Amino acid sequence: MTDNLLRNLHFDIGEPEPTVFQNAIDIYQDGTVPFALDEHGRWWALSGHTHKGHIGLFRGTCVDDMQELYPIHTNFETGAAGSAFATVKYPEGVRSRGSVWPFGLYVVPGSRRLICYFHNETGWNGHGTGYIIRGKGDGEPDFRHIGMMHSDDEGRTWEFDRWILTSEEVCFSELYTPDNINVKGQPQGSTCLGAGDFSIYDDPKGEYIYLFYNLCHHDSDIDSWLDCDVYVARTRRRTDGLLSDFVKYYDGAFCEAGNLGRESKIVSGLWHPRVTWFEQLGCYVLSGISTEASHRFVTDTVLLCTSTNLIHWSEPISLEYKGKPFGQHYCAIVPNRNGHPSVIPGNDFSFLLCWNGSDVTRYRTTFSG
């Protein structure tokens, strides 16, 4: 375990400020907002999800001037199994269903193509086909997958491509087999809820796009979340409009398939990971939210870890704000000026925080020491 390079710094967190990502314009952000940089220095973003309000396409040069251009339209259905996601099944053979939560965005250089990676769950917006660990039904604890879609008209319309990341464990338990497929479910007890709750890091210093994701476990017998840890996969960046499959990090190397491959934990007890490079400190910072084994599970306290190689991370630190632990349900770190949205060039930046489906609030922050 490496030393946390933030431990001896002082953080001055400012007063909350509104952002453009608001319920007042029919945007109900649920997760961290994905930003991407194009060759003209413009930021692009997607905010919202498909079962409350709408997903909006935003553009600007930094957080200060981001504005919604238009609501997006998917050229595929979401919702019920059998019609959702162009009828493409999950890699386990189960019919896909539910919603789109955009958590990763990439602009192909020299092209009008945008690529979005999105979170999906089996227990939300299934239009009567949703399921959880114990059987048919809506809500939690359900199962996650990560999908990919693209747009060739600057984000107005989107085509579904494929499911790109799936946990090693299948997306159901032995208590209920969806669609009656001939595949053995996970044993009753500690159940892995699949790969999701993620963000991407488009490394400006290298040739890869990294995807940091969670695997969570739940025991429905005692109605308790057991753990939530961070894993990573990567894909080589291309400039022809296509992206290859993701490869998971496992046992010291990127060597396992994105779908159904094995994976090794890189950080324990952290929800919805997101990575930023801090130039002045010469390190990566991974932000996320603390978790605990309980019915409540997510504590809404921001945790920060540091690394110099994206694989080996320090123990986390937490921050205080007005005498209390700082945080909400989701946390992103972004620069206060134009440039790469995942690079902090100086000693100031902003935290972007939100709850489930809430406005996104900004906290300008400086560090010293």
Side-chain angles (χ1 to χ4, degrees):
M1 187 69 67
T2 61
D3 185 43
N4 194 309
L5 300 178
L6 309 178
R7 188 175 303 281
N8 296 320
L9 299 180
H10 171 72
F11 290 84
D12 184 10
I13 303 173
E15 294 295 320
E17 304 174 27
T19 68
V20 69
F21 311 111
Q22 297 183 5
N23 294 174
I25 61 170
D26 200 39
I27 295 293
Y28 294 84
Q29 182 60 31
D30 189 8
T32 61
V33 176
F35 296 96
L37 182 70
D38 70 15
E39 69 268 29
H40 305 295
R42 299 177 300 185
W43 288 20
W44 298 73
L46 289 170
S47 186
H49 52 88
T50 55
H51 69 270
K52 185 175 184 180
H54 70 272
I55 299 173
L57 191 284
F58 294 76
R59 194 172 67 194
T61 63
C62 60
V63 175
D64 294 322
D65 61 8
M66 296 293 288
Q67 294 294 325
E68 184 177 14
L69 300 183
Y70 27 74
I72 75 162
H73 173 75
T74 59
N75 290 334
F76 56 92
E77 292 184 25
T78 58
S83 58
F85 300 102
T87 71
V88 176
K89 294 179 178 179
Y90 297 131
E92 298 94 328
V94 175
R95 293 180 299 167
S96 56
R97 64 205 73 197
S99 282
V100 166
W101 284 265
F103 288 166
L105 186 63
Y106 174 66
V107 180
V108 178
S111 168
R112 297 180 70 202
R113 175 161 288 193
L114 305 180
I115 294 175
C116 170
Y117 299 108
F118 63 87
H119 173 90
N120 167 263
E121 297 188 26
T122 63
W124 295 95
N125 192 36
H127 294 185
T129 67
Y131 70 92
I132 58 176
I133 290 177
R134 287 194 164 275
K136 293 182 180 180
D138 298 328
E140 308 275 357
D142 62 348
F143 296 87
R144 286 94 165 125
H145 295 85
I146 299 174
M148 172 178 165
M149 62 183 184
H150 75 271
S151 171
D152 286 325
D153 56 7
E154 297 189 333
R156 291 176 175 83
T157 62
W158 294 79
E159 304 289 341
F160 176 71
D161 290 301
R162 62 190 188 271
W163 299 105
I164 58 100
L165 207 71
T166 304
S167 65
E168 180 184 9
E169 292 83 2
V170 300
C171 62
F172 55 95
S173 77
E174 63 183 2
L175 300 175
Y176 173 73
T177 302
D179 303 341
N180 296 314
I181 66 170
N182 187 24
V183 175
K184 185 178 180 180
Q186 296 183 54
Q188 184 174 350
S190 175
T191 304
C192 178
L193 301 182
D197 306 296
F198 70 95
S199 67
I200 67 168
Y201 178 70
D202 178 16
D203 185 5
K205 302 187 287 81
E207 61 176 327
Y208 293 100
I209 297 171
Y210 292 83
L211 192 154
F212 293 86
Y213 63 101
N214 281 138
L215 296 183
C216 301
H217 291 82
H218 186 278
D219 190 334
S220 61
D221 291 339
I222 58 174
D223 189 25
S224 178
W225 297 83
L226 302 177
D227 56 52
C228 179
D229 301 321
V230 180
Y231 301 78
V232 65
R234 72 183 186 186
T235 184
R236 183 171 53 85
R237 189 189 300 109
R238 297 171 61 119
T239 59
D240 59 1
L242 300 176
L243 287 177
S244 59
D245 291 337
F246 276 87
V247 178
K248 291 177 178 178
Y249 178 78
Y250 173 71
D251 196 24
F254 286 94
C255 60
E256 284 284 322
N259 283 318
L260 302 174
R262 295 171 294 181
E263 48 239 317
S264 291
K265 175 176 63 176
I266 60 171
V267 177
S268 300
L270 188 142
W271 162 264
H272 207 87
R274 183 156 170 155
V275 169
T276 313
W277 170 254
F278 277 58
E279 284 188 345
Q280 185 167 304
L281 301 176
C283 69
Y284 302 97
V285 173
L286 185 148
S287 60
I289 307 300
S290 172
T291 64
E292 60 185 11
S294 67
H295 176 74
R296 180 169 178 252
F297 186 46
V298 180
T299 68
D300 297 338
T301 298
V302 169
L303 297 180
L304 303 174
C305 304
T306 61
S307 173
T308 57
N309 61 13
L310 294 170
I311 300 299
H312 302 103
W313 293 89
S314 71
E315 289 287 347
I317 65 165
S318 60
L319 305 179
E320 285 197 352
Y321 178 69
K322 297 185 177 180
K324 297 180 180 180
F326 176 69
Q328 288 184 17
H329 208 58
Y330 299 105
C331 168
I333 291 175
V334 295
N336 287 331
R337 55 186 71 88
N338 56 5
H340 198 290
S342 294
V343 174
I344 307 302
N347 73 329
D348 68 305
F349 62 91
S350 286
F351 287 107
L352 300 183
L353 304 186
C354 69
W355 306 93
N356 294 109
S358 74
D359 292 352
V360 177
T361 303
R362 179 182 190 179
Y363 294 80
R364 297 178 192 264
T365 302
T366 59
F367 63 87
S368 58

